[in-house]
Amino acid sequence: REDDPKSPTNQAPPILTDEQRLEKMKGACETILNCIGEDPSREGLLKTPKRWAEALLFLTKGYAQTVSDVTNNAVFEEGMGEEGDMVVVRDIDIHSLCEHHMVPFTGKVHVGYIPKKKVLGISKIARIAEVFARRLQVQERLTREIGSAIMEAIDPLGVAVVVECSHMCMVMRGVQKVGSNTVTSSVLGCFKNDSKTRAEFFSIINRR
């Protein structure tokens, strides 16, 4: 029965050690190499399964991180009263993997927020973006997650996030359109409710 806690479909998968996880991934990579017509035993590919497994674990390390881990108490009370000025960090490099094809998408993230009583260490904004980028993603969700995480971390008056990326699933396969970019935005709090605040943010990030 599906509602039986002992049913195989309701049991959590076994927790693997780092070494067990690496070995399973190496075996999976060897299978893939065989399936595409390669020989995993040839010299140039002997260490590829291990390298691939280690690289993929690095590219998805966000699953093992939380926002509180990376902010590391870098949240400061600045005595601003009920409202501060806008803080904007532009052009944060971002690298992620599309969850549909597991190929990269890369680009920039722009983040703005208006503090209420707390501010974040500037580098922590980039680290928050990194936590969610280092997972299998779709750009729309990534954009929302960054904004929601900052709202939760410091309870500002509002947050705005814009992500601009080139997707290799469009460049290397499919329609193969080099030079195309996808732009997504998420606006929360005062950025959503106040068109002037929203316009100010977009004006700042578009200055070159």
PDB file of all heavy atoms in Angstrom, residues 23-39:
ATOM      1  N   GLU A  23      32.233   6.645  -6.039  1.00  0.00           N
ATOM      2  CA  GLU A  23      32.354   5.374  -6.753  1.00  0.00           C
ATOM      3  C   GLU A  23      31.136   5.113  -7.635  1.00  0.00           C
ATOM      4  O   GLU A  23      31.266   4.646  -8.769  1.00  0.00           O
ATOM      5  CB  GLU A  23      32.556   4.224  -5.760  1.00  0.00           C
ATOM      6  CG  GLU A  23      33.937   4.181  -5.118  1.00  0.00           C
ATOM      7  CD  GLU A  23      35.054   4.101  -6.145  1.00  0.00           C
ATOM      8  OE1 GLU A  23      34.962   3.247  -7.058  1.00  0.00           O
ATOM      9  OE2 GLU A  23      36.007   4.891  -6.050  1.00  0.00           O
ATOM     10  N   LYS A  24      29.946   5.415  -7.136  1.00  0.00           N
ATOM     11  CA  LYS A  24      28.740   5.215  -7.942  1.00  0.00           C
ATOM     12  C   LYS A  24      28.745   6.126  -9.166  1.00  0.00           C
ATOM     13  O   LYS A  24      28.365   5.719 -10.267  1.00  0.00           O
ATOM     14  CB  LYS A  24      27.492   5.492  -7.095  1.00  0.00           C
ATOM     15  CG  LYS A  24      27.168   4.419  -6.072  1.00  0.00           C
ATOM     16  CD  LYS A  24      25.765   4.576  -5.516  1.00  0.00           C
ATOM     17  CE  LYS A  24      24.726   4.142  -6.526  1.00  0.00           C
ATOM     18  NZ  LYS A  24      23.364   4.050  -5.943  1.00  0.00           N
ATOM     19  N   MET A  25      29.181   7.358  -8.982  1.00  0.00           N
ATOM     20  CA  MET A  25      29.220   8.302 -10.100  1.00  0.00           C
ATOM     21  C   MET A  25      30.275   7.902 -11.129  1.00  0.00           C
ATOM     22  O   MET A  25      30.057   8.035 -12.341  1.00  0.00           O
ATOM     23  CB  MET A  25      29.480   9.715  -9.579  1.00  0.00           C
ATOM     24  CG  MET A  25      28.327  10.272  -8.751  1.00  0.00           C
ATOM     25  SD  MET A  25      28.672  11.887  -8.018  1.00  0.00           S
ATOM     26  CE  MET A  25      28.635  12.931  -9.486  1.00  0.00           C
ATOM     27  N   LYS A  26      31.402   7.395 -10.659  1.00  0.00           N
ATOM     28  CA  LYS A  26      32.436   6.921 -11.589  1.00  0.00           C
ATOM     29  C   LYS A  26      31.896   5.771 -12.433  1.00  0.00           C
ATOM     30  O   LYS A  26      32.110   5.722 -13.656  1.00  0.00           O
ATOM     31  CB  LYS A  26      33.682   6.473 -10.811  1.00  0.00           C
ATOM     32  CG  LYS A  26      34.520   7.615 -10.287  1.00  0.00           C
ATOM     33  CD  LYS A  26      35.529   7.150  -9.231  1.00  0.00           C
ATOM     34  CE  LYS A  26      36.473   6.105  -9.732  1.00  0.00           C
ATOM     35  NZ  LYS A  26      37.464   5.712  -8.693  1.00  0.00           N
ATOM     36  N   GLY A  27      31.167   4.855 -11.803  1.00  0.00           N
ATOM     37  CA  GLY A  27      30.576   3.748 -12.553  1.00  0.00           C
ATOM     38  C   GLY A  27      29.554   4.239 -13.568  1.00  0.00           C
ATOM     39  O   GLY A  27      29.483   3.720 -14.696  1.00  0.00           O
ATOM     40  N   ALA A  28      28.763   5.237 -13.176  1.00  0.00           N
ATOM     41  CA  ALA A  28      27.768   5.797 -14.104  1.00  0.00           C
ATOM     42  C   ALA A  28      28.454   6.450 -15.300  1.00  0.00           C
ATOM     43  O   ALA A  28      27.989   6.319 -16.441  1.00  0.00           O
ATOM     44  CB  ALA A  28      26.900   6.808 -13.371  1.00  0.00           C
ATOM     45  N   CYS A  29      29.554   7.140 -15.048  1.00  0.00           N
ATOM     46  CA  CYS A  29      30.276   7.787 -16.147  1.00  0.00           C
ATOM     47  C   CYS A  29      30.853   6.755 -17.110  1.00  0.00           C
ATOM     48  O   CYS A  29      30.808   6.946 -18.337  1.00  0.00           O
ATOM     49  CB  CYS A  29      31.392   8.670 -15.581  1.00  0.00           C
ATOM     50  SG  CYS A  29      32.265   9.623 -16.846  1.00  0.00           S
ATOM     51  N   GLU A  30      31.378   5.662 -16.588  1.00  0.00           N
ATOM     52  CA  GLU A  30      31.898   4.602 -17.457  1.00  0.00           C
ATOM     53  C   GLU A  30      30.783   4.037 -18.330  1.00  0.00           C
ATOM     54  O   GLU A  30      30.986   3.747 -19.516  1.00  0.00           O
ATOM     55  CB  GLU A  30      32.545   3.504 -16.613  1.00  0.00           C
ATOM     56  CG  GLU A  30      33.857   3.933 -15.962  1.00  0.00           C
ATOM     57  CD  GLU A  30      34.427   2.872 -15.030  1.00  0.00           C
ATOM     58  OE1 GLU A  30      33.804   1.779 -14.924  1.00  0.00           O
ATOM     59  OE2 GLU A  30      35.467   3.132 -14.405  1.00  0.00           O
ATOM     60  N   THR A  31      29.600   3.874 -17.760  1.00  0.00           N
ATOM     61  CA  THR A  31      28.444   3.398 -18.535  1.00  0.00           C
ATOM     62  C   THR A  31      28.110   4.370 -19.660  1.00  0.00           C
ATOM     63  O   THR A  31      27.863   3.967 -20.802  1.00  0.00           O
ATOM     64  CB  THR A  31      27.223   3.222 -17.614  1.00  0.00           C
ATOM     65  OG1 THR A  31      27.524   2.239 -16.616  1.00  0.00           O
ATOM     66  CG2 THR A  31      25.997   2.780 -18.408  1.00  0.00           C
ATOM     67  N   ILE A  32      28.100   5.657 -19.348  1.00  0.00           N
ATOM     68  CA  ILE A  32      27.811   6.674 -20.368  1.00  0.00           C
ATOM     69  C   ILE A  32      28.850   6.634 -21.480  1.00  0.00           C
ATOM     70  O   ILE A  32      28.507   6.687 -22.668  1.00  0.00           O
ATOM     71  CB  ILE A  32      27.752   8.071 -19.716  1.00  0.00           C
ATOM     72  CG1 ILE A  32      26.529   8.187 -18.808  1.00  0.00           C
ATOM     73  CG2 ILE A  32      27.720   9.167 -20.784  1.00  0.00           C
ATOM     74  CD1 ILE A  32      26.518   9.423 -17.937  1.00  0.00           C
ATOM     75  N   LEU A  33      30.122   6.524 -21.115  1.00  0.00           N
ATOM     76  CA  LEU A  33      31.183   6.474 -22.121  1.00  0.00           C
ATOM     77  C   LEU A  33      30.992   5.268 -23.040  1.00  0.00           C
ATOM     78  O   LEU A  33      31.153   5.370 -24.271  1.00  0.00           O
ATOM     79  CB  LEU A  33      32.553   6.430 -21.445  1.00  0.00           C
ATOM     80  CG  LEU A  33      32.994   7.728 -20.746  1.00  0.00           C
ATOM     81  CD1 LEU A  33      34.270   7.499 -19.938  1.00  0.00           C
ATOM     82  CD2 LEU A  33      33.213   8.833 -21.765  1.00  0.00           C
ATOM     83  N   ASN A  34      30.632   4.143 -22.471  1.00  0.00           N
ATOM     84  CA  ASN A  34      30.366   2.958 -23.295  1.00  0.00           C
ATOM     85  C   ASN A  34      29.183   3.190 -24.224  1.00  0.00           C
ATOM     86  O   ASN A  34      29.204   2.822 -25.405  1.00  0.00           O
ATOM     87  CB  ASN A  34      30.093   1.749 -22.391  1.00  0.00           C
ATOM     88  CG  ASN A  34      31.365   1.076 -21.911  1.00  0.00           C
ATOM     89  OD1 ASN A  34      32.280   0.844 -22.697  1.00  0.00           O
ATOM     90  ND2 ASN A  34      31.426   0.767 -20.629  1.00  0.00           N
ATOM     91  N   CYS A  35      28.140   3.817 -23.707  1.00  0.00           N
ATOM     92  CA  CYS A  35      26.914   4.007 -24.484  1.00  0.00           C
ATOM     93  C   CYS A  35      27.110   4.947 -25.673  1.00  0.00           C
ATOM     94  O   CYS A  35      26.411   4.816 -26.687  1.00  0.00           O
ATOM     95  CB  CYS A  35      25.796   4.537 -23.591  1.00  0.00           C
ATOM     96  SG  CYS A  35      25.127   3.296 -22.455  1.00  0.00           S
ATOM     97  N   ILE A  36      28.032   5.906 -25.562  1.00  0.00           N
ATOM     98  CA  ILE A  36      28.260   6.824 -26.690  1.00  0.00           C
ATOM     99  C   ILE A  36      29.308   6.293 -27.666  1.00  0.00           C
ATOM    100  O   ILE A  36      29.644   6.960 -28.643  1.00  0.00           O
ATOM    101  CB  ILE A  36      28.656   8.241 -26.214  1.00  0.00           C
ATOM    102  CG1 ILE A  36      30.006   8.225 -25.490  1.00  0.00           C
ATOM    103  CG2 ILE A  36      27.569   8.840 -25.335  1.00  0.00           C
ATOM    104  CD1 ILE A  36      30.533   9.621 -25.162  1.00  0.00           C
ATOM    105  N   GLY A  37      29.814   5.077 -27.387  1.00  0.00           N
ATOM    106  CA  GLY A  37      30.751   4.454 -28.316  1.00  0.00           C
ATOM    107  C   GLY A  37      32.215   4.642 -27.963  1.00  0.00           C
ATOM    108  O   GLY A  37      33.095   4.381 -28.791  1.00  0.00           O
ATOM    109  N   GLU A  38      32.486   5.093 -26.743  1.00  0.00           N
ATOM    110  CA  GLU A  38      33.870   5.287 -26.321  1.00  0.00           C
ATOM    111  C   GLU A  38      34.379   4.072 -25.551  1.00  0.00           C
ATOM    112  O   GLU A  38      33.610   3.206 -25.144  1.00  0.00           O
ATOM    113  CB  GLU A  38      33.992   6.549 -25.453  1.00  0.00           C
ATOM    114  CG  GLU A  38      34.391   7.789 -26.219  1.00  0.00           C
ATOM    115  CD  GLU A  38      35.828   7.733 -26.754  1.00  0.00           C
ATOM    116  OE1 GLU A  38      36.546   6.744 -26.476  1.00  0.00           O
ATOM    117  OE2 GLU A  38      36.215   8.681 -27.458  1.00  0.00           O
ATOM    118  N   ASP A  39      35.689   4.058 -25.341  1.00  0.00           N
ATOM    119  CA  ASP A  39      36.337   2.991 -24.593  1.00  0.00           C
ATOM    120  C   ASP A  39      36.904   3.576 -23.302  1.00  0.00           C
ATOM    121  O   ASP A  39      37.939   4.254 -23.324  1.00  0.00           O
ATOM    122  CB  ASP A  39      37.466   2.370 -25.426  1.00  0.00           C
ATOM    123  CG  ASP A  39      38.248   1.304 -24.673  1.00  0.00           C
ATOM    124  OD1 ASP A  39      37.803   0.917 -23.563  1.00  0.00           O
ATOM    125  OD2 ASP A  39      39.299   0.875 -25.176  1.00  0.00           O
TER     126      ASP A  39
END
